[in-house]
């Protein structure tokens, strides 16, 4: 039997995502009520610009006083889609204190203060759901937190930012330079006017922190994630990748150490073989590859951003939280029992592709090979091309630690025969 008294929902933010959430709540009201077991009522919408026309939202629901809205005391759920650290953090904790559960899409806040927010939710016996914080419409957090709860996840490898994937895909498919591809992404609306958060990896790093925490039952904060942007990737890098049968993606990589005693989380450009499923992810799409003991390899794919896809994830959480309210229960909270340490980037082991500008004369390759050997870095393949006294030397290593590779490169720079290090890129996905 359906309950007639509606569950009251407040919406913090009514931009691209928030307006879609409000629209779906209105147009799909009957379906949502049938799925939840009670009607859902939009009880208030907090905005910064009250004079803006918001189609389908009654004017009397609009307020600029978000604090007063979350303090009402009669709310069942608060949906936070304003982003940023403050005032979002204070509004969420205030919502818990005044009896509401929370659905959020705030990756930056969750990556920085997820532990404190989970603690506040637990203290007040409320839900904190955030499927929309990572990879838009792609169901990812719930499968990691619930479907794979009985499995041991060892690695999460993914493309979690659509803007950067669009840019790199354009560079790969058309031969365009970075700036040209970025300009096209901006013109099409994929890139913000200031694309720093995307192209420098900050957005992906926040998502990596959230994914690592859930996958490994360990608290991983944004500061724990190694981050390297993609602004230095060139057309020459793509040419080298193609010669290796690879392409280049900006990847978020979360790994459990082979001995199981620690974890790592990192974001950086990497070459991946064209045979890997992530290599075929085109345009602004996202995809995440999960490797676990029992399930083996799983891939989650779909649109990772945009108003409607992100709102879809928000509404999925809203339905789950509302069901919990009706049954008087809460869903899964934070699982950080493993408390594994997060290893520094220097301990990460992977393959490397290094391009050197060297003098074109006898003995150079021997000198370079000696430096690699002295630092314990094994060479897999070498390719050399020379002309008019100058040459390029491309070295692909076997697996080595980031620290060992760093020492190798530092020593290479000191060789008289090495004119410069043109590029260094990790090789992943094997």
């Amino acid at each position: 039997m359906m309950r007639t008294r509606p569950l009251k929902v407040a919406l913090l933010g009514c931009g691209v995502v928030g307006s879609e959430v409000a629209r779906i709540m209105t147009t799909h009201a009957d379906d949502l009520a049938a799925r939840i077991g009670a009607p859902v009522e939009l009880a208030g919408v907090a905005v910064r610009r009250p004079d803006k026309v918001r189609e389908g939202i009654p004017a009397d629901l609009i307020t600029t006083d978000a604090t007063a809205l979350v303090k009402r005391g009669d709310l069942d759920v608060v949906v936070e889609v304003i982003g940023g650290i403050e005032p979002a953090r204070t509004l969420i904790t205030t919502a818990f204190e005044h009896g509401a559960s929370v659905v959020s899409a705030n990756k930056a806040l969750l990556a920085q203060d997820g532990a404190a927010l989970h603690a506040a939710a637990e203290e007040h016996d409320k839900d904190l759901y955030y499927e929309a914080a990572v990879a838009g419409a792609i169901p990812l957090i719930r499968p990691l937190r619930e479907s794979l709860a009985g499995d041991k996840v060892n690695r999460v490898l993914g493309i979690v930012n659509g803007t950067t994937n669009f840019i790199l895909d354009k560079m790969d498919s058309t031969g365009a330079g970075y700036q040209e591809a970025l300009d096209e992404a901006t013109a099409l609306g994929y890139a913000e006017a200031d694309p720093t958060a995307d192209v420098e990896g900050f957005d992906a790093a926040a998502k990596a922190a959230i994914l690592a925490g859930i996958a490994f039952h360990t608290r991983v904060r944004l500061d724990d994630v190694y981050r390297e942007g993609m602004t230095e990737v060139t057309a020459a890098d793509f040419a080298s990748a193609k010669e290796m049968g690879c392409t280049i993606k900006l990847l978020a990589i979360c790994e459990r150490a082979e001995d199981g005693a620690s974890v790592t989380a990192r974001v950086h450009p990497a070459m991946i073989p064209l045979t890997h499923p992530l290599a075929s992810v085109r345009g602004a799409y996202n995809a995440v590859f999960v490797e676990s003991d029992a399930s083996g390899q799983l891939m989650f794919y779909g649109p990772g951003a945009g108003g409607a896809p992100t709102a879809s994830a928000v509404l999925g959480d809203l339905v789950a939280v509302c069901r919990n309210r009706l049954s008087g229960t809460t869903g899964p909270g934070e699982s950080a029992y493993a408390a594994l340490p997060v290893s520094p980037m220097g301990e990460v082991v992977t393959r490397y592709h290094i391009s050197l500008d060297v003098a074109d004369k006898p003995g150079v390759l021997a000198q370079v090979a000696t430096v690699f050997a002295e630092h314990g870095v094994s060479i897999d393949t070498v390719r050399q091309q020379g002309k008019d006294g100058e040459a390029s030397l491309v070295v692909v290593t076997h697996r080595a630690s980031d620290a060992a590779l760093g020492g190798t490169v530092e020593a290479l720079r000191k060789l008289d025969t090495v004119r410069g290090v043109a590029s260094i890129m990790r090789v992943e996905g094997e």
Side-chain angles (χ1 to χ4, degrees), residues 93-180:
T93 55
T94 301
F96 291 142
E97 292 166 0
H98 288 79
S101 290
V102 173
V103 172
S104 176
N106 197 329
K107 53 186 172 288
L109 178 58
L110 288 158
Q112 179 172 306
D113 289 320
L117 295 178
H118 276 291
E122 183 177 0
E123 178 185 355
H124 296 285
D125 196 27
K126 298 294 179 287
D127 275 322
L128 173 62
Y129 276 47
Y130 43 91
E131 183 69 64
V134 179
I138 304 172
L140 185 58
I141 288 177
R142 191 170 287 115
L144 283 173
R145 191 161 64 171
E146 299 178 26
S147 303
L148 297 175
D151 205 345
K152 179 183 178 184
V153 176
N154 296 310
R155 195 176 199 220
V156 180
L157 173 77
I159 299 163
V160 294
N161 183 279
T163 299
T164 56
N165 199 59
F166 178 88
I167 294 170
L168 292 173
D169 183 36
K170 280 295 175 182
M171 293 177 70
D172 184 28
S173 61
T174 69
Y178 166 76
Q179 189 60 50
E180 183 183 351

Side-chain angles (χ1 to χ4, degrees), residues 72 83 177 213 246 248 330 335 371 399 407 423 428:
R72 279 179 37 165
C246 293
I248 299 172
T330 56
S335 176
V371 170
R399 289 171 62 82
S423 69
E428 302 282 353

